[in-house]
Amino acid sequence: MVQLDILRGFAIMLVIFRHHIIYPKSTGIFSVVDFKLYTLGWSGVDLFFVLSGFLIGGLLFTEMKHRQSIDVKRFLIRRAFKIWPGYLLLLCVITAIKALNLDFYMFDRNVIPSLASILPAFFHLQNYLVSPRLHIWSLAVEEHFYLLLPFVLLILTTRGKDLRGLGAIPWIGVFLLAACLAMRIFVRHQPGWILDKSLFPTHLRIDSLFCGVTLAYFFHIRPELLEKVGKRTGALLLAALVLVGPLFFGSLRATAWVTEWGFTMLALGYSCLLLAFIYAKPNVGILGKFISSGFSRVLAFIGFYSYSIYLWHIDIGKEPLGYLVRHKGLFAHLSPSLRFLAVETIYVCLAIAMGVIMNRLVEKPSLALRDRLFPSYVSNREVVRQEAETLPT
């Protein structure tokens, strides 16, 4: 579904603008726009969470419909072939950088400059302990989600033989929204609070992922109910704007409600956005014309490579360029506005190029090997056929 790649592209661009090189106050005429992109950029990860919940939930629901069970071992192996090769290569590169004392990156407050900081990342515990790179905390959350969801579905369906138990999925989604919100409020008001305690832990962020799972449940199991809502594109886009828009005016560190209600608003707002995109018809209406535009094709291209871009944009783009800007005076002769344009353009191009290269060198061969050794029980063609039958004509 090209709509999902478009949203992935939007999400990764938000992340890139969050991990800026030049501070917004030094970007000349772009300062206001850059500051707003920086302010909301961190929420790109929340959009990725909703998308992951929808996609992974869809894979599992499709398998349950076809086989009346889930092969958890095969599911986890297939996920590992998707996630681990690029991720482990990144950790090996970081290990080599630190072992050779080449780490010139400017993570002063965010990374412990020692090999010991890398070890938790190999066990996907970096979101609870320490992390060698700040952005990989979200991969730990997703990995915990992959480990948890199949067993939840098996418990609900008595090992997959009675799919009526899946009717509990929406209620679990509502419960997690309330429970995560309550826990975030509690944590935010504890003495000695720092942002890491609210932003990174899996048990405080899994509600976004389960919002995606809930949408996947209705999309694959109860499509007749979801279609009634999905047709209301204008209302969904307005709801997304109302829920996500206020986050433009809050700070992760300084505004309490952002790390409490704000995460809940993003989970619901991005769910509305996803639903609007799923049911939008190409070339029909404003959203349909946007999806069919050249700009959206560029976003979809970026979104297709978003995982590799996410992995490498810090080490290949942000920090080397940041070092050249701060310590070598890169483009210092230009005006602040032109300097920002030049640096940001190189940054984005480097990140995308590295994502494409690493996808071709690592991710694509790994997925080919996966499909040869552990083929999916449900073919891609069958999944596409089901999606086509589910979407309105």
Side-chain angles (χ1 to χ4, degrees):
M1 297 177 67
V2 67
Q3 296 98 315
L4 302 185
D5 278 336
I6 293 171
L7 289 175
R8 286 193 192 99
F10 177 63
I12 192 62
M13 291 308 297
L14 280 175
V15 171
I16 287 175
F17 283 116
R18 173 67 181 187
H19 297 155
H20 59 196
I21 296 173
I22 301 176
Y23 290 104
K25 65 181 181 181
S26 303
T27 58
I29 62 174
F30 300 102
S31 59
V32 174
V33 174
D34 188 40
F35 179 73
K36 291 303 179 183
L37 288 173
Y38 169 77
T39 301
L40 191 65
W42 57 269
S43 75
V45 172
D46 293 76
L47 179 52
F48 274 126
F49 283 165
V50 174
L51 286 167
S52 292
F54 179 76
L55 292 165
I56 300 306
L59 289 174
L60 293 172
F61 292 137
T62 300
E63 183 175 343
M64 296 181 84
K65 287 170 64 177
H66 277 76
R67 301 182 63 247
Q68 286 70 53
S69 66
I70 299 174
D71 188 333
V72 176
K73 180 180 177 181
R74 180 177 289 261
F75 167 76
L76 294 177
I77 290 173
R78 286 179 59 82
R79 280 290 91 197
F81 270 95
K82 166 68 176 175
I83 301 300
W84 288 3
Y87 175 66
L88 291 178
L89 178 60
L90 174 66
L91 293 184
C92 290
V93 169
I94 294 172
T95 301
I97 288 172
K98 289 187 177 292
L100 296 173
N101 197 29
L102 300 175
D103 198 350
F104 56 83
Y105 297 153
M106 311 302 291
F107 279 108
D108 299 331
R109 295 171 298 174
N110 299 323
V111 174
I112 297 175
S114 70
L115 290 174
S117 68
I118 303 175
L119 191 60
F122 282 98
F123 299 95
H124 298 287
L125 296 174
Q126 66 270 23
N127 63 324
Y128 283 101
L129 300 176
V130 294
S131 178
R133 292 291 182 265
L134 183 61
H135 68 296
I136 62 174
W137 69 271
S138 64
L139 303 182
V141 175
E142 297 226 14
E143 191 69 22
H144 302 160
F145 167 70
Y146 299 150
L147 292 172
L148 178 64
L149 182 62
F151 295 102
V152 170
L153 298 184
L154 286 178
I155 291 171
L156 291 177
T157 59
T158 317
R159 300 186 63 81
K161 298 185 182 302
D162 186 355
L163 300 187
R164 288 177 298 179
L166 294 177
I169 291 291
W171 298 109
I172 294 175
V174 171
F175 169 78
L176 285 176
L177 280 171
C180 289
L181 174 59
M183 287 188 289
R184 288 195 293 261
I185 293 174
F186 175 79
V187 168
R188 182 63 177 81
H189 294 279
Q190 293 303 298
W193 177 88
I194 59 173
L195 178 60
D196 297 11
K197 294 181 178 180
S198 294
L199 184 60
F200 301 147
T202 300
H203 64 281
L204 300 182
R205 305 307 309 279
I206 203 167
D207 52 343
S208 295
L209 285 151
F210 217 85
C211 278
V213 174
T214 302
L215 287 182
Y217 162 77
F218 284 110
F219 187 78
H220 291 275
I221 307 298
R222 302 293 301 276
E224 71 284 355
L225 296 179
L226 193 64
E227 184 179 343
K228 295 177 182 178
V229 180
K231 288 181 175 180
R232 302 180 180 275
T233 303
L236 288 170
L237 291 177
L238 178 61
L241 179 63
V242 169
L243 289 165
V244 177
L247 275 298
F248 274 111
F249 305 98
S251 166
L252 266 177
R253 296 185 183 277
T255 311
W257 66 266
V258 171
T259 51
E260 299 168 355
W261 290 92
F263 291 165
T264 304
M265 292 164 63
L266 285 174
L268 295 173
Y270 282 142
S271 294
C272 291
L273 184 66
L274 171 58
L275 191 54
F277 267 73
I278 290 172
Y279 282 94
K281 300 177 183 179
N283 292 312
V284 177
I286 296 176
L287 184 56
K289 291 178 181 178
F290 171 77
I291 290 172
S292 302
S293 67
F295 178 73
S296 288
R297 285 195 291 273
V298 173
L299 274 181
F301 173 83
I302 296 171
F304 182 80
Y305 297 102
S306 59
Y307 175 59
S308 292
I309 295 172
Y310 187 83
L311 284 178
W312 295 98
H313 75 282
I314 295 291
D315 284 82
I316 298 302
K318 175 182 174 355
E319 293 308 327
L321 274 177
Y323 176 80
L324 293 175
V325 167
R326 288 186 288 268
H327 297 278
K328 302 298 181 180
L330 181 67
F331 298 127
H333 62 286
L334 298 178
S335 67
S337 301
L338 289 178
R339 191 186 197 201
F340 167 75
L341 278 180
V343 171
E344 203 69 19
T345 299
I346 295 173
Y347 175 26
V348 171
C349 290
L350 277 176
I352 295 172
M354 190 62 181
V356 173
I357 291 170
M358 296 310 293
N359 176 277
R360 301 287 177 84
L361 293 180
V362 180
E363 191 174 344
K364 188 175 180 179
S366 174
L367 294 180
L369 179 62
R370 177 195 72 176
D371 291 336
R372 186 162 64 247
L373 298 178
F374 302 95
S376 174
Y377 286 124
V378 182
S379 69
N380 289 335
R381 181 175 297 178
E382 179 63 20
V383 172
V384 170
R385 184 189 65 78
Q386 281 199 0
E387 289 175 348
E389 291 177 350
T390 303
L391 291 170
T393 56

